[in-house]
């Protein structure tokens, strides 16, 4: 009967042991799941507001400044829809008017970088997702001087 014991050993026990060893070996060489990654931050959105013209009142003189403004905003949390651009444009127009009334805007100024810096400072409190303000062009012009 020894050949029968050897046969049973080969048919039953060896496959069970081999299966167990294969399972343990496979679990050791299987790739581990990666650590959870943070989702990538969406790219900022550039919203062109177009030309905004504000009057600059001085003694016996009214001049105007037309600025082509683009706002760079974080994409997350921005409402989409038709009300976004008018709201941003109104906030920018209001701030430009305030800057003109407070004499921070020079009637002859056409320095887009200076205007962009002033707008960025003023709009950062009003627009929480603001990253940058670009003034693509600033054009001053005068109209109707009284003598």
């Amino acid at each position: 009967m020894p050949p029968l014991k050897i046969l049973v050993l080969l048919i039953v026990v060896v496959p069970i042991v081999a299966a167990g060893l294969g399972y343990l070996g496979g679990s050791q060489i299987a790739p581990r799941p990666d650590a959870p990654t943070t989702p990538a931050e969406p790219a900022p959105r550039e919203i062109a507001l177009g030309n905004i013209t504000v009057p600059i009142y001085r003694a016996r003189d009214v001049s105007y400044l037309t600025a082509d403004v683009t706002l760079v905003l974080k994409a997350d949390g921005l409402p989409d829809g038709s009300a976004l651009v008018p709201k941003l444009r109104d906030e920018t127009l209001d701030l430009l008017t305030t800057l003109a009334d407070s004499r921070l805007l020079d009637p002859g100024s056409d320095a887009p970088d200076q205007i962009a810096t002033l707008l960025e400072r003023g709009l950062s409190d009003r627009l929480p997702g603001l990253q940058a303000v670009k003034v693509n062009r600033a054009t001053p012009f005068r109209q109707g001087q009284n003598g």
Side-chain angles (χ1 to χ4, degrees):
M1 290 257 253
L4 186 60
K5 284 186 180 183
I6 294 176
L7 188 62
V8 168
L9 182 69
L10 288 175
I11 292 176
V12 176
V13 176
V14 170
I16 292 173
V17 170
L21 290 175
Y23 178 76
L24 288 174
S27 67
Q28 293 300 313
I29 62 171
R32 300 276 181 232
D34 292 335
T37 58
T38 58
E41 189 172 312
R45 278 178 54 188
E46 288 191 9
I47 300 174
L49 302 180
N51 289 329
I52 298 174
T53 303
V54 293
I56 302 175
Y57 298 105
R58 297 295 183 259
R60 298 183 186 172
D61 183 57
V62 176
S63 54
Y64 296 88
L65 176 72
T66 299
D68 180 19
V69 179
T70 301
L71 301 180
V72 180
L73 300 163
K74 291 181 183 177
D76 57 342
L78 255 184
D80 284 330
S82 60
L84 177 64
V85 174
K87 178 188 180 309
L88 297 175
R89 190 172 170 82
D90 288 347
E91 290 290 338
T92 306
L93 177 62
D94 183 49
L95 180 60
L96 275 172
T97 303
T98 303
L99 290 172
D101 290 344
S102 66
R103 299 187 181 266
L104 288 174
L105 286 181
D106 181 27
S109 174
D110 60 349
D113 294 337
Q114 176 191 8
I115 297 168
T117 303
L118 291 170
L119 283 174
E120 196 166 328
R121 284 185 202 151
L123 288 175
S124 62
D125 294 336
R126 297 178 182 198
L127 305 173
L130 183 70
Q131 289 185 333
V133 175
K134 296 178 185 177
V135 176
N136 305 316
R137 184 181 65 251
T139 309
F141 62 95
R142 294 186 187 280
Q143 187 174 0
Q145 291 185 357
N146 295 333

